[in-house]
Amino acid sequence: MRKQLFALALAILTYCTAFAEKKFSVYAVGFYNLENLFDTQHDEGKRDYDFLPTGSYRWDEMKYSNKLNNMARVLSEMGTDVLPGVGCAFIGVCEVENAKALDDLTAQPALASRGFKYVHIEGQDRRGIDPALLYNPSLFTVHNAKLVPYVQSLEKDSAYFTRGFLTVSGELGGDPVSVIVCHLPSRASGSFYREQGADQIKVIKDSLLKENPARKVFVMGDMNDDPTNRSMTTSLSAKADTKDVSEGDMFNPWYNLLAKEGIGTLMYQGSWNLFDQILLSPNLLNQDGKKDYSTLKFWKNQIFKRDYLFQTEGKYKGSPKRTTAGGIWLNGYSDHLPVVVYLVKEQQ
């Protein structure tokens, strides 16, 4: 803990230099698709058969142990470019099978050393994968949590079951904060399902802000859509530039990374997509030239990259290094890269 506090103090000192000797606290929040974090045992009602010792992936204790170690390494390093030894206050994750997998994950030394805990509520996804929130209790205090189910309209398929929206409210840096962790339906399902999911997220977000306009709201997850797609631009009204963000909108700091720079978090047929996003409510922004940091404000965002996260040879060189590809176990990480947002608040 002393090392973490010292590292945080250094980060604050560094940030202060750029702001005329004012003192600021810096926080990081992130999201990471863990790509099939399954344990090795069958859960009744779940389609987890590929991830059993007898399944197609031959998913045994050795592979599971390596997967846990690899995921913990990434999660523990997220945010440390700015906050060495401290990292993220909370990280939304998806593609987690159950609480046991999260118990095993947070028991890994890289996370256990910071006392990481988690919020998870079992959902109705037929594959058996859920969103969850990992958090450092010394930085983020959880007050309540609920899983809002994805509700399919009768216009399509009323029996459509997929991931719900994990909504966790608490306190970060003395400010009220809520985070909605999502994993929208796959590309194979068609845009209708993702747009409908985003419509439902907006209802949750709006209700949180109506209840407390001072609450900072983050919507994060694997959207299975780019920032330029309708689920983001229309359903969630996520804007690319802070000057365009009005009440009822959200800010999407990832839009220009993809649209202008071609940078993404996962690769398909040699091109980047940016499905992994963290959207911010307007009260996390300074607009119209204001420099009010009396509450948490957005500073910058980052696609988290390390050399070990990428394929270094072969057909998929340059793409994220997966756990398994083409039926071959690679002892990799995920087909997605993590994302991080940094926040600042002036110390009083």
Side-chain angles (χ1 to χ4, degrees):
M1 180 60 70
R2 289 181 179 177
K3 290 183 178 179
Q4 292 183 24
L5 292 175
F6 177 70
L8 181 58
L10 286 177
I12 293 171
L13 180 62
T14 301
Y15 194 77
C16 291
T17 305
F19 282 82
E21 303 306 320
K22 291 183 178 180
K23 294 182 179 180
F24 290 80
S25 295
V26 184
Y27 301 93
V29 302
F31 175 79
Y32 191 26
N33 181 327
L34 303 184
E35 193 193 17
N36 296 322
L37 181 59
F38 283 80
D39 64 20
T40 61
Q41 300 173 354
H42 174 57
D43 284 9
E44 189 65 32
K46 293 186 178 181
R47 297 175 181 173
D48 59 0
Y49 299 105
D50 288 338
F51 291 92
L52 299 175
T54 56
S56 62
Y57 290 110
R58 297 292 188 265
W59 196 243
D60 57 21
E61 286 296 332
M62 183 272 290
K63 292 179 180 178
Y64 177 52
S65 177
N66 280 33
K67 176 73 172 180
L68 290 169
N69 179 73
N70 289 350
M71 295 296 90
R73 178 183 183 184
V74 180
L75 292 162
S76 68
E77 292 183 10
M78 290 170 62
T80 58
D81 291 338
V82 171
L83 297 167
V86 178
C88 289
F90 58 78
I91 305 171
V93 296
C94 69
E95 297 203 13
V96 176
E97 182 184 18
N98 52 30
K100 180 186 183 304
L102 288 163
D103 285 334
D104 294 341
L105 178 63
T106 53
Q108 298 298 303
L111 297 178
S113 63
R114 296 183 200 163
F116 262 83
K117 298 185 181 300
Y118 67 86
V119 178
H120 168 258
I121 300 172
E122 193 72 39
Q124 60 182 356
D125 181 76
R126 288 175 173 172
R127 279 189 60 208
I129 53 175
D130 298 318
L133 187 77
L134 303 174
Y135 67 97
N136 184 334
S138 69
L139 298 173
F140 179 63
T141 302
V142 173
H143 291 161
N144 58 72
K146 60 182 178 180
L147 182 67
V148 181
Y150 178 107
V151 179
Q152 179 56 46
S153 75
L154 295 178
E155 182 181 344
K156 284 282 184 178
D157 177 9
S158 61
Y160 186 87
F161 294 106
T162 190
R163 283 82 58 176
F165 313 110
L166 179 66
T167 305
V168 182
S169 296
E171 185 176 305
L172 176 66
D175 286 4
V177 166
S178 290
V179 53
I180 306 168
V181 188
C182 318
H183 186 185
L184 291 179
S186 73
R187 301 289 278 187
S189 300
S191 62
F192 169 86
Y193 293 94
R194 292 186 297 283
E195 289 169 29
Q196 186 168 83
D199 288 339
Q200 294 173 44
I201 295 167
K202 186 178 189 303
V203 171
I204 301 168
K205 182 264 297 183
D206 288 346
S207 67
L208 289 167
L209 288 172
K210 182 178 180 180
E211 178 185 71
N212 182 1
R215 190 191 309 272
K216 315 293 188 178
V217 180
F218 301 86
V219 173
M220 60 172 62
D222 176 357
M223 307 304 186
N224 269 310
D225 263 339
D226 286 320
T228 54
N229 291 133
R230 284 179 53 86
S231 61
M232 300 295 105
T233 60
T234 302
S235 298
L236 276 169
S237 190
K239 308 298 185 182
D241 297 302
T242 58
K243 63 180 176 59
D244 297 325
V245 179
S246 301
E247 184 178 358
D249 297 333
M250 299 203 80
F251 173 53
N252 192 338
W254 313 97
Y255 188 106
N256 289 325
L257 281 180
L258 180 69
K260 294 184 178 181
E261 302 180 41
I263 298 172
T265 56
L266 71 158
M267 185 172 282
Y268 179 69
Q269 295 183 345
S271 297
W272 286 102
N273 291 98
L274 210 164
F275 292 174
D276 307 274
Q277 302 166 51
I278 303 174
L279 314 182
L280 298 86
S281 55
N283 55 10
L284 280 158
L285 305 176
N286 270 321
Q287 297 174 288
D288 302 322
K290 293 180 180 179
K291 294 185 179 180
D292 177 13
Y293 294 94
S294 59
T295 65
L296 288 169
K297 290 296 190 294
F298 170 76
W299 176 22
K300 63 180 182 178
N301 58 307
Q302 168 193 46
I303 297 176
F304 178 80
K305 297 179 180 180
R306 292 290 189 269
D307 289 345
Y308 63 76
L309 289 174
F310 295 89
Q311 287 276 15
T312 58
E313 58 186 10
K315 179 180 178 180
Y316 300 106
K317 182 178 180 180
S319 63
K321 185 178 181 181
R322 306 183 62 167
T323 303
T324 301
I328 300 173
W329 182 63
L330 302 176
N331 192 23
Y333 296 83
S334 172
D335 55 345
H336 293 245
L337 297 174
V339 292
V340 179
V341 162
Y342 295 98
L343 312 162
V344 294
K345 181 179 179 179
E346 186 175 354
Q347 296 180 0
Q348 303 300 314

